[in-house]
Structures are given as C-alpha cells and as structure tokens.
Amino acid sequence: MSMSGTPQWVVLAWRLPAGLSTPRVTTWRNLQRLGAARLTPGAALLPFREDLQEQLDWLAQDIEQQGGEAWVLPVTGLSESEERLVRERMAADRDEEYRSLAEDAMAFIARRSAGPTPDNAFAARLQIDKELLALQRRFRKIRARDYVHTPARAAAAQAIDRCLSFRQGISPKVLPVTDAEVAAQQQKEEDDV
C-alpha cells in the first residue's frame, strides 16, 4: 500500500462522550444520508471527493462541539479484501434502499389501479403528481450516494417509470424517465435555482 498519490477514500473516525445517545444517532443518520460505509461503531468511510470530505469536516466539527473528538483522514488505498468489504457494505445499504423504494412504487401502482383516475378533482390529481415526484426524488437521493452502482438501481427506476403512466400532467417536474442522465442534469439545474 503506497502512501503517495491521490487519496481514494476518506474516513471519519470519532469518539463521543459516553452516555449521549442523541449525538451518536444524529452522526450515524448524517453518515447514512451521505452513503458512508460503516467500518466500526466510531468510523465510517466514503469515496474521496472534495464535496464529501467537506461534509465530513462539518460532521467532525459538530462532534467536537458535542464534546467529542473527530478526525477526517484521507486514505490512499485499501487492501483488496478491505476494498471488497467496503464496496459490499455500500452495495448492501443501497440495495435495501432501492428495494424499499421499488416496493413503494409497486404499492402506488396497486393503489392507483384499484381506483378510477379522478377526471376533474384537481386536488386528487395534484396528489398523484406529488407522489410521483416524491418517488423520483427519493430515487435521485439514493442514486447520488450509490458509489458502487448497485444492481438493484435498474429495477427501482423501472418500477418508478411504470408509475409514470398515472401522471396527471399538472406538475412539470415529474420527468418522463427516472434514471436518465438528462433527468439528473435538469433536476440539478432546478435544485440550484
């Protein structure tokens, strides 16, 4: 393992004062939102990217403000078996999120297929578009933290795309394809506005 070269991973290692469960839970929630792989109860790892390192720096500051200690450590390389383990953990976490999203999409289809589509009730039609938008947004959030291209991604995207046949045309933000790069770019521009 050479110590020169560009870091491939960045690790947050921390210790919080004993007995405080809230900061511990908050720290893990934030790390899950970023898609970090858990190494130990007090260490997690992400791919090395400037934006991700910045997020970990913020988290470290937060931990220190709670009276804990934290280190953000760039890692040049992992052994093959370590890297495999990290990637498997990341894949398993994302897989679970994609599967739960696909189940929710199928439940949406079942609900909508059972009842007639409202012809004129604007509020009901708007609700349908809002649900579709929420499904697509959830997908994009998972995809943004899917650093290992989890296989379950395709099935989740297909399930959501099947939901789109119920689109009411009220919200222009509901995009025709969930997992297109174009959709990602459009959404990024919308989010930045």
Side-chain angles (χ1 to χ4, degrees):
M1 220 162 53
S2 83
M3 278 296 128
S4 61
T6 319
Q8 289 182 302
W9 303 94
V10 60
V11 171
L12 175 69
W14 73 94
R15 197 171 68 207
L16 280 156
L20 294 176
S21 78
T22 312
R24 231 175 289 286
V25 171
T26 308
T27 299
W28 271 115
R29 277 222 184 101
N30 288 326
L31 286 163
Q32 279 168 332
R33 188 175 46 79
L34 292 171
R38 188 182 187 128
L39 299 179
T40 70
L45 170 146
L46 281 164
F48 183 83
R49 275 188 359 209
E50 268 180 41
D51 59 321
L52 294 175
Q53 182 172 11
E54 203 174 294
Q55 296 281 339
L56 292 185
D57 286 336
W58 284 110
L59 272 179
Q61 277 181 23
D62 204 43
I63 289 163
E64 283 162 8
Q65 278 163 5
Q66 315 268 2
E69 298 176 281
W71 297 268
V72 176
L73 310 164
V75 175
T76 321
L78 296 171
S79 72
E80 235 175 272
S81 60
E82 286 168 339
E83 180 144 346
R84 188 166 53 243
L85 184 64
V86 162
R87 289 178 175 279
E88 278 167 9
R89 278 186 193 174
M90 285 180 168
D93 290 344
R94 295 301 80 74
D95 190 70
E96 211 175 295
E97 292 180 326
Y98 282 129
R99 280 173 200 278
S100 135
L101 178 56
E103 279 167 25
D104 289 353
M106 300 316 280
F108 170 92
I109 290 171
R111 274 201 320 278
R112 293 296 159 204
S113 306
T117 301
D119 282 335
N120 54 3
F122 184 82
R125 290 177 56 209
L126 183 61
Q127 183 55 36
I128 292 174
D129 274 4
K130 277 186 168 166
E131 284 180 50
L132 293 173
L133 201 55
L135 287 169
Q136 285 192 326
R137 195 176 287 134
R138 254 175 79 194
F139 176 86
R140 279 195 298 273
K141 282 184 172 165
I142 300 168
R143 185 179 65 183
R145 57 179 172 252
D146 181 7
Y147 309 113
V148 293
H149 305 300
T150 310
R153 165 177 156 178
Q158 281 164 1
I160 294 172
D161 284 346
R162 284 180 57 196
C163 295
L164 297 182
S165 61
F166 294 95
R167 208 161 42 154
Q168 300 296 305
I170 293 170
S171 170
K173 285 187 173 179
V174 180
L175 300 162
V177 181
T178 301
D179 196 19
E181 293 314 311
V182 178
Q185 196 47 47
Q186 281 178 349
Q187 192 55 39
K188 189 184 178 321
E189 284 157 17
E190 279 177 20
D191 292 344
D192 290 344
V193 170

